[in-house]
Amino acid sequence: MAIHAQSANLSGTVALSSQLVDRGLPVTRETPIVQGAISWASPQGWSLRLSASAEARRLDRLTETFAQAARYWTLAPDWEMGASLSYYVYPNGPRQARAYDRVEAGLGWVYRDVLTFGLSAIHGVGPGDRRLRGAADVGFHWPLPRHFGFSAGAGISQAKVVSYRYYDHDQASSHEDGGVSYYAYTRWNAYRYGHVGLTWTYESWHLELDRILTSGYKRSRNSLDVAPWVATLSFSF
């Protein structure tokens, strides 16, 4: 969650993932995803972060863009608190991913870089998506010998579920996409998600393998499937 203030103000990360997953829900198909991020942090606790992702086979079409401004405070020797404002856009991903376009305000707490807890208020930016919804997340990380670590997380969130019904002729109230018209139906539901994983970190390299768990999500027809396992290899500089 937190980007701790460091003497080095500017940093970056490049990564390769097996799938892009957002709070337990698939944003892309199960395919290699290239990610890049750049971060700036001040000694006073301010930070800015920009990132982008694309399928490895279609690097010219971004599947996700992300921007965040945050401020972090030290509450006690073992505790840190942060507030953030984030903007997520999925410009060229599958149609289902466009339901995740949003502005998100968050509050988070960190205990000794081991335990994190966060609350988020989410406001969609897509057509007809004006309902304020929330999410709560908790995360745990514990170092193991030989550069390994154990990670786990769980959360609950309200999701926008969009169903599509297609027609082979135009309708006045339908949407047009590539010559095919369709109706979009929006539903809302709360669901639970989590992961259990193993990490390996050595100098600037980080490898993580997570078992993804999702419960209570009401899938729409033709929705994407989340892979049971998601792997990510990243390099920071």
Side-chain angles (χ1 to χ4, degrees), residues 50-105:
L50 299 173
S51 70
S53 306
E55 295 184 10
R57 58 184 179 181
R58 304 184 68 180
L59 293 178
D60 59 328
R61 294 174 60 85
L62 297 179
T63 56
E64 179 197 43
T65 57
F66 167 80
Q68 182 188 74
R71 176 74 162 88
Y72 300 95
W73 302 270
T74 299
L75 301 178
D78 294 331
W79 283 93
E80 185 178 77
M81 177 182 177
S84 64
L85 184 65
S86 307
Y87 183 54
Y88 297 80
V89 177
Y90 299 90
N92 295 306
R95 182 181 295 112
Q96 296 92 330
R98 300 173 193 171
Y100 307 145
D101 291 357
R102 66 192 186 273
V103 175
E104 185 171 318

Side-chain angles (χ1 to χ4, degrees), residues 21-236:
V21 178
D22 186 340
R23 284 197 170 102
L25 301 182
V27 175
T28 66
R29 298 172 179 83
E30 191 174 354
T31 185
I33 303 296
V34 177
Q35 304 177 70
I38 185 169
S39 303
W40 172 86
S42 75
Q44 292 76 29
W46 290 97
S47 69
L48 299 173
R49 181 179 177 87
L50 299 173
S51 70
S53 306
E55 295 184 10
R57 58 184 179 181
R58 304 184 68 180
L59 293 178
D60 59 328
R61 294 174 60 85
L62 297 179
T63 56
E64 179 197 43
T65 57
F66 167 80
Q68 182 188 74
R71 176 74 162 88
Y72 300 95
W73 302 270
T74 299
L75 301 178
D78 294 331
W79 283 93
E80 185 178 77
M81 177 182 177
S84 64
L85 184 65
S86 307
Y87 183 54
Y88 297 80
V89 177
Y90 299 90
N92 295 306
R95 182 181 295 112
Q96 296 92 330
R98 300 173 193 171
Y100 307 145
D101 291 357
R102 66 192 186 273
V103 175
E104 185 171 318
L107 289 176
W109 295 264
V110 182
Y111 176 72
R112 288 188 174 183
D113 290 334
V114 172
L115 185 66
T116 64
F117 178 72
L119 296 173
S120 300
I122 304 166
H123 187 273
V125 297
D129 190 3
R130 295 294 180 264
R131 176 177 173 178
L132 187 66
R133 54 193 190 273
D137 302 86
V138 61
F140 176 78
H141 178 267
W142 191 258
L144 300 174
R146 299 184 181 275
H147 307 288
F148 284 95
F150 170 79
S151 69
I156 184 169
S157 177
Q158 293 174 296
K160 176 184 178 182
V161 183
V162 181
S163 299
Y164 299 95
R165 182 174 297 173
Y166 293 91
Y167 297 85
D168 57 5
H169 59 278
D170 291 342
Q171 300 287 340
S173 58
S174 66
H175 304 272
E176 193 72 27
D177 184 10
V180 178
S181 55
Y182 62 91
Y183 282 98
Y185 300 88
T186 300
R187 296 177 294 160
W188 304 90
N189 78 283
Y191 72 100
R192 297 168 297 280
Y193 53 91
H195 79 275
V196 177
L198 187 66
T199 66
W200 179 83
T201 303
Y202 181 73
E203 296 181 349
S204 298
W205 291 95
H206 181 82
L207 177 64
E208 183 164 355
L209 179 64
D210 293 319
R211 176 69 168 93
I212 306 298
L213 306 168
T214 306
S215 175
Y217 180 68
K218 298 177 182 177
R219 297 178 53 191
S220 60
R221 184 183 300 179
N222 299 323
S223 62
L224 299 174
D225 294 322
V226 62
W229 294 92
V230 175
T232 301
L233 175 63
S234 63
F235 177 80
S236 300

